[in-house]
Amino acid sequence: GLAKQISDMEQVGIEAVVPIAAEGVLYGILGFSRKRFGGVYDPDDLETFRLLAARTAVAIAIHISSAKIAKREHLAVIGEMTAMIAHEIKNPLGAIKAAAEQISIHKNEMECEKLTLMIREEVLRLDTTIKTYLAFARPVSIESEEIDIVKLTVRCAELFRNEANESNFEVTVRNEKVIKVAIDPDAYRQLFFNLAKNSLEAKNNGRLNVTFIEDERVVSVMFEDNCGGMSLEVIEKLFNPFFTTKTGGTGLGMAICKKIATAMDGKLFVSSTEGFGTKFTLELPQKQETT
Ligand code: ADP
Ligand code: MG
């Protein structure tokens, strides 16, 4: 085979050949045709070719291995997520099954009503859990509109207060100006709720304060709470999918926020003082001036 390959190459005028190989793997060969101004290739030329081929091989090897790592990480996340979902679904399903069995035994109306309510609550919990996983797994689709982000935030705060009406949690939005940005209101609402929920869950009677600053480059939205802050270890892992310090937490809220911020071409930063509170800053690009 080799002799044939060499004669094939001679046929098409290849005079020098070097292997494209790295770490014992041959990716291909690099052939050079006759020297343009005559003469034969000297050892220096060959050394240059060898170097060129070796560099090429390293570039190919790096490309292949990084693609492999990305795929492996992706699969690992999917595996982890599947296990979590199975776990999260098991408990409510067990409770629903038990309640249904009880209903078929008890014919007492009061008892049955209580059990039906329990089933409804469990189904609702399942629904919320599954929605969270989907929000994490799905790519964020961003349908940007030009919106007053201050007004939208006020609206989010109202919705959040309605949901958290049993607690003494306070949300305030400083809204003395209009700031137009191009964002997806649904994605922003999701981000707001994930942040506000974490503050509420950290301290039931705490407070979340939302303020805005803008310059010609970015619009910054600051979410500051007084809900006890986080340790350095927690801050380090905060955005990792599945990292949670809560029993029954999904650990996806912050990962989703990060994903949303990135999809909006923005950034999300955190700073936190343990024992005091946490501040998240969402930086969004200023809308393009169409002049
Ligand atoms: P989950 O809420 O399901 O635990 P998240 O990704 O939303 O998952 O949050 C991850 C962890 O970060 C939480 O378990 C909590 O320990 C910490 N955390 C997030 N936000 C705050 C906050 N505002 N105050 C204190 N701790 C927080
Ligand atoms: Mg959360």
Side-chain angles (χ1 to χ4, degrees):
L2 194 64
K4 164 123 184 28
Q5 275 187 31
I6 290 172
S7 87
D8 279 355
M9 278 191 248
E10 278 171 349
Q11 291 260 299
V12 293
I14 303 280
E15 286 202 336
V17 168
V18 281
I20 305 175
E23 287 170 21
V25 183
L26 181 67
Y27 296 110
I29 49 173
L30 198 55
F32 295 87
S33 55
R34 213 157 279 132
K35 234 177 165 171
R36 191 180 288 182
F37 302 110
V40 289
Y41 289 118
D42 60 32
D44 270 358
D45 292 335
L46 289 178
E47 192 48 41
T48 310
F49 296 162
R50 219 171 275 137
L51 216 67
L52 196 66
R55 293 267 163 81
T56 310
V58 169
I60 294 172
I62 289 173
H63 176 77
I64 289 174
S65 72
S66 66
K68 270 191 195 147
I69 289 171
K71 183 148 187 224
R72 202 177 315 136
E73 273 172 8
H74 185 69
L75 287 176
V77 168
I78 290 177
E80 203 168 343
M81 195 157 139
T82 312
M84 302 276 289
I85 292 173
H87 177 79
E88 293 283 329
I89 287 178
K90 242 188 193 154
N91 285 336
L93 277 188
I96 290 169
K97 181 165 173 262
E101 279 165 6
Q102 288 289 311
I103 288 177
S104 65
I105 297 165
H106 289 280
K107 301 288 180 243
N108 177 319
E109 210 169 291
M110 279 268 283
E111 198 66 30
C112 284
E113 206 165 300
K114 223 177 75 191
L115 289 164
T116 325
L117 184 70
M118 213 178 93
I119 290 178
R120 252 192 252 125
E121 280 172 2
E122 290 298 324
V123 169
L124 202 71
R125 214 175 77 189
L126 264 176
D127 191 49
T128 317
T129 309
I130 288 172
K131 275 195 186 125
T132 309
Y133 281 102
L134 284 179
F136 173 70
R138 249 194 246 121
V140 185
S141 81
I142 293 287
E143 301 272 333
S144 294
E145 311 165 31
E146 200 178 288
I147 301 179
D148 175 7
I149 194 168
V150 180
K151 203 163 144 201
L152 178 61
T153 308
V154 169
R155 184 78 195 109
C156 289
E158 279 166 13
L159 286 174
F160 188 77
R161 274 186 218 110
N162 278 343
E163 273 199 19
N165 62 356
E166 289 133 61
S167 67
N168 280 319
F169 194 76
E170 242 187 282
V171 191
T172 54
V173 181
R174 182 156 345 124
N175 63 336
E176 61 242 349
K177 52 190 162 190
V178 170
I179 303 176
K180 294 268 174 103
V181 277
I183 50 164
D184 181 325
D186 287 330
Y188 181 80
R189 210 168 289 134
Q190 234 187 75
L191 182 141
F192 181 100
F193 264 73
N194 278 324
L195 291 180
K197 246 193 224 153
N198 278 344
S199 298
L200 170 73
E201 284 163 4
K203 193 175 174 194
N204 197 270
N205 59 348
R207 161 204 275 276
L208 177 68
N209 227 333
V210 190
T211 51
F212 306 85
I213 319 179
E214 64 172 328
D215 61 26
E216 59 284 353
R217 210 172 42 83
V218 291
V219 172
S220 302
V221 187
M222 275 88 59
F223 301 84
E224 255 178 298
D225 73 29
N226 65 347
C227 303
M230 302 172 230
S231 68
L232 274 175
E233 285 120 298
V234 172
I235 294 173
E236 261 176 27
K237 302 190 191 113
L238 182 66
F239 292 108
N240 293 358
F242 310 115
F243 171 75
T244 181
T245 59
K246 299 165 194 168
T247 43
T250 61
L252 290 178
M254 292 312 307
I256 291 171
C257 287
K258 191 86 174 181
K259 221 172 125 175
I260 290 174
T262 310
M264 294 199 280
D265 290 324
K267 289 181 184 141
L268 186 64
F269 306 107
V270 63
S271 71
S272 186
T273 314
E274 195 173 9
F276 180 67
T278 304
K279 176 179 175 180
F280 285 96
T281 305
L282 172 68
E283 263 187 26
L284 296 169
Q286 271 289 14
K287 68 183 162 61
Q288 237 46 43
E289 284 300 336
T290 43
T291 45

